[in-house]
C-alpha cells in the first residue's frame, strides 16, 4: 500500500496535466455505491462479557455466603432503630450543610477581602479546619467538657451573665453539628471563593454603572453567576457530608451508623447490618443528587445556547422587519 | 438652558504605581455635546472616562457632573469619598457602555434592561417594561428580548448594553471603546445607534478608534497622548489639519 501511494504522486507531474494533479491516484476507480465497513473491534465484546461474568460470580458467591444473612438484612432494613438513624443522619447532613454554607460565604468574602487581617484570619481558619482530620475535630467537640467544664459569659463591670455545665449544652448532637459544619465551612469556602472569582470583573462594574450598591451587585449579579460554578462541587460536598456523618458514631451521635453499631455490638451480625447501612446511604445519596441536577439546570440556563428560556416569538419575522433604525444581523 | 458645562474635569491626576496615567487633565463638556476621545493605547483616555464614573478614583483633582463632584462630597474645601449608597445614587445619572459589553450573563436581554430601573430606581414595572421595549426597538433588537446574551452576536450585545444604560435615563453617556471588541461587519450597527443618540441630543463622551465616526458625528475631538490632552477642537480641524506632530503621527498610523 505504502509503495503504490508513494510512487504515484509523481505521475501527474510527468504527464503534465494540471487537472489530473488533484486525483493522482485516479488509477483506482471506486464504485459510487461501494459498501463501507467499519473497523472491527472483536475484543470489546469479549471484555464486556468477561466483566459481566466476574460480577455475576461475585454476586453469586455473596448470596451463597452464610455471613450475609438476607433475612437479617430484610428484618433490619425498615426497623425503627434503622429509620430513626436515617432521620438523624439526614437531619445532621442538612443542618451542617446549611450552617457550613453560610460560614463558607462569610469566609469566602473574608478571603477575598483587601484587608489582610480579615483574609489572613480566614486563611488561618481554612488551614486549621482543612488540615486536621474530621475525626479529631469530632472528638474535640464531643469531649469539650473535659477542657472547659463550664460555659460562661462574663462581661467586665457587669459580671457573669450565665454559667452552665458544658455537657448540658454540647450534647453529642450539637457537638456533631459543630464539628461537621465548621469543617464544611472550610472546604466550601474555597469552592465559593472560586465561584466568585469566576465572575468577570466587568460584571461588577456593569452592576455599579447602573447604580447598584455593592451588596446588590453581589446578590443580583455576582452570586447567581458564581452559583453555576459552585453547584457541581457543592453537590459532591453534600454527598461527602452525608457519609461523613457516620463518623459521629465515635461520640455516640445516634445517627444511622451509630445505631447499627449499637445493634451489632450485641447481636454480632456485623456484615448484614453494615449492608443495611450501606443500602440506606446509597439510597440517600441517590435522592440528594436530584436537587443538584435541578439546580444545575436552573443556573446553567443562560449558557444553554440553543434553548432560550421562553419560546421566542417572531424570530423569523425579525429578519424581514426593516422598520427599525438598524438592520438585523444574522 | 444651563451655560455651566455638564461634565467638567478639573486638574485630574491619576497614576497606577509609578506610571502617571493622567497629568492634570482639565476638560469641559457642554450639555448635548458629543465628544470623541482618541489617542494611542495607554494614553489615559479610558482611565479618564472611568474617572467620570468613579470606577477609578483620581489621585488629585475631580470630575464634576451636573455641578457635583463624582464620587465625593465637598466638605470644608475637602473632598470626602461618598458612601457606597450615595455613590450608587450618583451613578444612576451616568450611563456607561463597556468595550466588552458586560451584559449580565444570567439574565435575558429584557431582564438586563429592566434590572436598573426596577431594582435600583424602583420605578413601576409596567412603565419600565414599556420603556425597555421601546429601547429595544430603538436599537433594532425588539425580537431578541427573551434571549440570553450568549445567544447574541457581539454587535447585538453592545446594542443591548446601550439600551441597558439608556433605561436609567442618564444625563450623560460614557462609551469606552464600544466597537473595539467587534468584528468589522458588526461595527456599523452599533455606530448607527450611537448616531441616533447623538442626533437626539444626548451628551456623549466616546473613547474610540473609529475616526470616521468621530469626524461625522462628534462635535469635538480630543486627542490624548501620554496622559495629556495634546489638542482638541472641531473634528474637521483636528482630523484634517492637526497642529501637533503627535496627532499627525497617530492619524497617519491609524488611517
Amino acid at each position: 500500500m505504502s509503495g503504490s501511494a508513494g510512487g504515484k504522486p509523481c505521475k501527474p507531474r510527468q504527464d503534465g496535466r494540471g487537472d489530473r494533479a488533484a486525483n493522482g491516484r485516479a488509477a483506482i476507480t471506486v464504485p459510487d455505491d461501494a459498501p463501507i465497513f467499519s473497523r472491527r473491534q472483536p475484543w470489546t465484546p469479549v471484555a464486556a462479557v468477561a466483566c459481566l461474568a466476574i460480577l455475576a460470580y461475585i454476586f453469586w458467591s455473596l448470596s451463597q455466603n452464610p455471613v450475609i444473612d438476607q433475612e437479617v438484612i430484610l428484618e433490619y432494613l425498615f426497623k425503627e432503630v434503622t429509620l430513626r438513624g436515617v432521620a438523624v443522619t439526614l437531619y445532621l447532613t442538612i443542618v451542617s450543610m446549611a450552617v457550613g454554607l453560610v460560614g463558607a460565604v462569610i469566609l469566602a468574602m473574608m478571603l477575598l477581602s483587601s484587608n489582610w487581617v480579615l483574609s489572613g484570619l480566614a486563611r488561618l481558619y481554612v488551614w486549621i479546619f482543612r488540615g486536621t482530620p474530621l475525626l479529631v475535630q469530632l472528638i474535640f467537640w464531643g469531649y469539650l467538657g473535659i477542657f472547659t467544664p463550664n460555659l460562661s459569659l462574663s462581661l467586665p463591670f457587669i459580671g457573669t451573665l450565665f454559667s452552665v455545665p458544658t455537657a448540658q449544652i454540647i450534647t453529642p448532637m450539637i457537638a456533631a453539628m459543630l464539628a461537621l459544619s465548621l469543617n464544611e465551612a472550610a472546604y466550601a469556602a474555597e469552592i465559593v471563593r472560586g465561584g466568585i472569582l469566576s465572575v468577570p470583573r466587568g460584571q461588577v462594574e456593569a452592576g455599579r454603572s447602573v447604580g447598584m450598591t455593592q451588596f446588590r451587585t453581589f446578590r443580583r449579579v455576582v452570586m447567581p453567576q458564581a452559583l453555576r460554578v459552585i453547584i457541581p462541587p457543592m453537590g459532591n460536598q453534600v454527598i461527602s457530608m452525608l457519609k461523613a456523618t457516620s463518623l459521629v458514631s465515635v461520640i455516640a451521635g445516634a445517627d444511622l451508623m451509630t445505631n447499627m453499631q449499637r445493634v451489632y455490638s450485641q447481636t454480632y451480625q456485623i456484615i448484614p447490618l453494615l449492608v443495611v447501612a450501606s443500602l440506606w446511604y446509597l439510597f440517600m445519596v441517590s435522592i440528594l443528587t436530584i436537587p443538584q441536577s435541578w439546580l444545575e439546570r436552573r443556573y446553567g440556563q443562560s449558557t444553554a445556547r440553543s434553548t432560550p428560556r421562553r419560546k421566542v416569538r417572531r424570530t423569523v419575522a425579525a429578519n424581514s422587519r426593516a422598520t427599525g433604525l438598524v438592520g438585523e444581523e444574522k | 438652558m444651563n451655560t455651566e458645562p455638564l461634565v467638567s474635569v478639573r486638574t485630574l491626576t491619576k497614576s497606577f504605581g509609578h506610571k502617571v496615567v493622567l497629568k492634570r487633565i482639565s476638560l469641559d463638556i457642554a450639555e448635548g455635546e458629543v465628544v470623541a476621545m482618541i489617542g494611542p493605547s495607554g494614553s489615559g483616555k479610558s482611565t479618564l472616562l472611568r474617572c467620570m464614573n468613579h470606577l477609578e478614583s483620581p489621585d488629585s483633582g475631580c470630575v464634576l457632573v451636573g455641578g457635583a463632584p463624582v464620587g465625593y462630597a465637598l466638605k470644608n474645601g475637602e473632598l470626602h469619598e461618598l458612601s457606597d449608597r450615595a455613590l450608587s445614587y450618583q451613578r444612576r445619572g451616568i450611563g456607561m457602555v463597556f468595550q466588552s459589553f458586560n451584559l449580565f450573563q444570567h439574565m435575558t436581554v429584557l431582564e438586563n434592561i429592566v434590572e436598573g430601573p426596577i431594582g435600583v430606581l424602583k420605578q413601576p414595572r409596567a412603565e419600565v417594561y414599556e420603556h425597555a421595549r421601546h429601547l429595544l426597538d430603538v436599537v433594532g433588537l425588539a425580537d431578541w428580548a427573551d434571549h440570553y446574551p450568549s445567544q447574541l452576536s457581539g454587535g447585538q450585545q453592545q446594542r443591548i448594553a446601550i439600551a441597558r444604560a439608556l433605561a436609567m435615563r442618564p444625563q450623560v453617556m460614557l462609551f469606552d471603546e464600544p466597537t473595539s471588541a467587534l468584528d468589522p461587519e458588526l461595527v456599523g450597527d452599533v455606530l448607527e445607534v450611537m448616531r441616533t443618540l447623538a442626533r437626539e441630543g444626548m451628551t456623549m463622551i466616546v473613547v474610540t478608534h473609529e475616526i470616521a465616526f468621530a469626524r461625522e458625528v462628534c462635535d469635538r475631538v480630543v486627542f490624548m497622548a501620554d496622559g495629556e490632552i495634546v489638542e482638541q477642537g472641531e473634528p474637521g480641524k483636528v482630523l484634517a489639519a492637526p497642529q501637533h506632530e503627535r496627532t499627525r503621527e497617530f492619524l497617519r498610523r491609524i488611517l
Side-chain angles (χ1 to χ4, degrees):
Chain A
M1 170 120 184
S2 69
S4 65
K8 290 220 165 138
C10 302
K11 272 195 177 169
R13 254 178 268 147
Q14 281 170 349
D15 51 50
R17 286 166 62 179
D19 59 332
R20 277 194 56 118
N23 40 359
R25 298 180 192 98
I28 305 166
T29 45
V30 179
D32 289 345
D33 51 356
I36 295 173
F37 296 94
S38 300
R39 184 177 349 102
R40 296 206 178 176
Q41 298 180 316
W43 291 106
T44 316
V46 171
V49 169
C51 287
L52 277 179
I54 292 169
L55 191 70
Y57 173 74
I58 292 173
F59 268 100
W60 177 79
S61 59
L62 282 180
S63 68
Q64 297 299 305
N65 195 319
V67 174
I68 302 176
D69 192 332
Q70 290 166 22
E71 266 171 42
V72 177
I73 293 175
L74 282 176
E75 183 197 342
Y76 276 97
L77 199 53
F78 296 106
K79 227 179 178 183
E80 204 200 335
V81 64
T82 315
L83 295 181
R84 225 186 278 143
V86 166
V88 170
T89 292
L90 272 178
Y91 178 68
L92 263 179
T93 306
I94 291 165
V95 172
S96 307
M97 202 64 210
V99 176
L101 270 182
V102 173
V105 173
I106 295 170
L107 276 173
M109 283 157 96
M110 286 172 73
L111 283 169
L112 294 169
S113 164
S114 52
N115 184 317
W116 65 269
V117 176
L118 289 179
S119 64
L121 286 175
R123 242 176 289 146
L124 181 73
Y125 179 96
V126 172
W127 181 66
I128 290 173
F129 282 86
R130 241 177 19 168
T132 55
L134 177 56
L135 192 57
V136 173
Q137 291 173 34
L138 266 167
I139 295 172
F140 174 82
W141 292 110
Y143 294 91
L144 190 68
I146 296 171
F147 307 94
T148 49
N150 286 298
L151 286 180
S152 53
L153 180 66
S154 315
L155 292 175
F157 308 116
I158 298 172
T160 304
L161 283 179
F162 66 86
S163 178
V164 283
T166 304
Q168 220 168 59
I169 294 186
I170 310 292
T171 58
M173 195 67 180
I174 299 288
M177 281 178 193
L178 263 175
L180 290 172
S181 47
L182 290 179
N183 185 259
E184 181 56 35
Y187 276 97
E190 288 292 312
I191 297 173
V192 173
R193 187 179 73 102
I196 293 174
L197 283 179
S198 76
V199 180
R201 171 89 202 133
Q203 292 288 311
V204 176
E205 290 184 351
R208 306 290 278 143
S209 79
V210 291
M212 290 190 196
T213 58
Q214 277 172 351
F215 178 69
R216 193 178 170 82
T217 310
F218 182 75
R219 191 169 59 85
R220 293 285 299 171
V221 178
V222 177
M223 227 24 200
Q225 297 186 66
L227 279 178
R228 207 168 51 79
V229 178
I230 290 173
I231 287 168
M234 216 47 110
N236 254 347
Q237 287 300 112
V238 174
I239 288 167
S240 300
M241 169 69 89
L242 181 84
K243 289 176 297 174
T245 56
S246 64
L247 293 174
V248 164
S249 59
V250 297
I251 55 168
D255 71 313
L256 177 59
M257 193 63 199
T258 312
N259 284 5
M260 293 297 100
Q261 278 184 354
R262 214 174 275 156
V263 174
Y264 69 60
S265 65
Q266 287 166 4
T267 63
Y268 299 106
Q269 293 158 326
I270 300 175
I271 300 295
L273 285 170
L274 286 181
V275 170
V276 169
S278 299
L279 287 174
W280 272 107
Y281 280 115
L282 274 173
F283 175 72
M284 287 189 278
V285 166
S286 316
I287 294 293
L288 283 176
T289 46
I290 294 172
Q292 184 191 347
S293 58
W294 180 79
L295 281 171
E296 271 175 40
R297 230 174 305 128
R298 165 111 174 63
Y299 285 100
Q301 252 169 19
S302 55
T303 45
R305 245 180 171 281
S306 50
T307 48
R309 189 165 74 183
R310 270 153 281 175
K311 204 84 198 118
V312 181
R313 308 141 300 142
R314 311 190 308 264
T315 325
V316 184
N319 298 329
S320 57
R321 267 168 58 109
T323 50
L325 291 152
V326 209
E328 293 289 335
E329 298 161 11
K330 283 187 176 171
Chain B
M1 249 219 180
N2 208 337
T3 49
E4 282 266 301
L6 180 62
V7 179
S8 178
V9 181
R10 305 267 175 92
T11 60
L12 198 73
T13 302
K14 170 78 185 172
S15 37
F16 293 118
H18 292 298
K19 190 180 184 334
V20 184
V21 192
L22 297 175
K23 298 170 187 162
R24 297 182 64 80
I25 300 272
S26 289
L27 182 67
D28 281 343
I29 292 148
E31 192 174 345
E33 204 178 359
V34 180
V35 176
M37 296 208 291
I38 61 171
S41 54
S43 59
K45 44 198 198 322
S46 278
T47 308
L48 176 57
L49 197 76
R50 289 164 63 83
C51 283
M52 294 177 184
N53 202 1
H54 203 64
L55 282 175
E56 301 288 354
S57 45
D59 298 337
S60 70
C62 68
V63 179
L64 304 179
V65 172
V70 174
Y72 298 92
L74 191 63
K75 280 178 207 152
N76 309 325
E78 294 166 341
L79 290 171
H80 295 270
E81 193 163 24
L82 289 174
S83 70
D84 179 35
R85 186 162 291 275
L87 176 60
S88 304
Y89 189 85
Q90 197 173 40
R91 282 195 178 119
R92 298 169 173 191
I94 307 168
M96 176 107 182
V97 174
F98 300 87
Q99 181 178 351
S100 49
F101 331 134
N102 294 349
L103 289 178
F104 304 133
Q105 295 296 317
H106 59 303
M107 298 182 189
T108 63
V109 163
L110 197 61
E111 287 166 349
N112 261 280
I113 297 174
V114 301
E115 179 63 26
I118 291 177
V120 177
L121 301 178
K122 313 284 181 206
Q123 289 172 351
R125 298 182 78 87
E127 210 172 281
V128 170
Y129 274 98
E130 201 188 311
H131 187 214
R133 299 247 178 227
H134 167 71
L135 287 172
L136 278 176
D137 237 354
V138 170
V139 300
L141 295 168
D143 295 306
W144 298 84
D146 296 327
H147 282 71
Y148 283 97
S150 61
Q151 298 163 331
L152 270 56
S153 75
Q156 291 172 321
Q157 290 193 49
Q158 194 59 296
R159 279 140 67 194
I160 300 299
I162 295 174
R164 176 177 68 180
L166 289 175
M168 300 292 288
R169 302 182 200 265
Q171 288 179 283
V172 53
M173 285 280 283
L174 311 175
F175 294 84
D176 189 2
E177 304 201 21
T179 56
S180 297
L182 298 178
D183 290 339
E185 81 266 25
L186 305 181
V187 168
D189 292 334
V190 174
L191 293 183
E192 189 57 48
V193 170
M194 292 169 65
R195 202 166 287 145
T196 312
L197 266 184
R199 245 193 328 260
E200 287 178 4
M202 175 62 79
T203 311
M204 292 161 68
I205 304 167
V206 188
V207 171
T208 187
H209 291 296
E210 298 289 335
I211 299 299
F213 175 81
R215 182 167 21 225
E216 251 177 82
V217 181
C218 297
D219 303 313
R220 178 157 41 129
V221 171
V222 175
F223 175 74
M224 283 183 72
D226 296 325
E228 289 171 308
I229 294 176
V230 175
E231 70 177 294
Q232 55 175 311
E234 281 172 33
K237 285 180 185 157
V238 175
L239 296 174
Q243 300 297 302
H244 290 261
E245 180 49 36
R246 295 250 17 206
T247 321
R248 274 197 287 271
E249 192 192 326
F250 173 75
L251 289 173
R252 215 180 306 126
R253 213 173 316 137
I254 196 170
L255 288 177

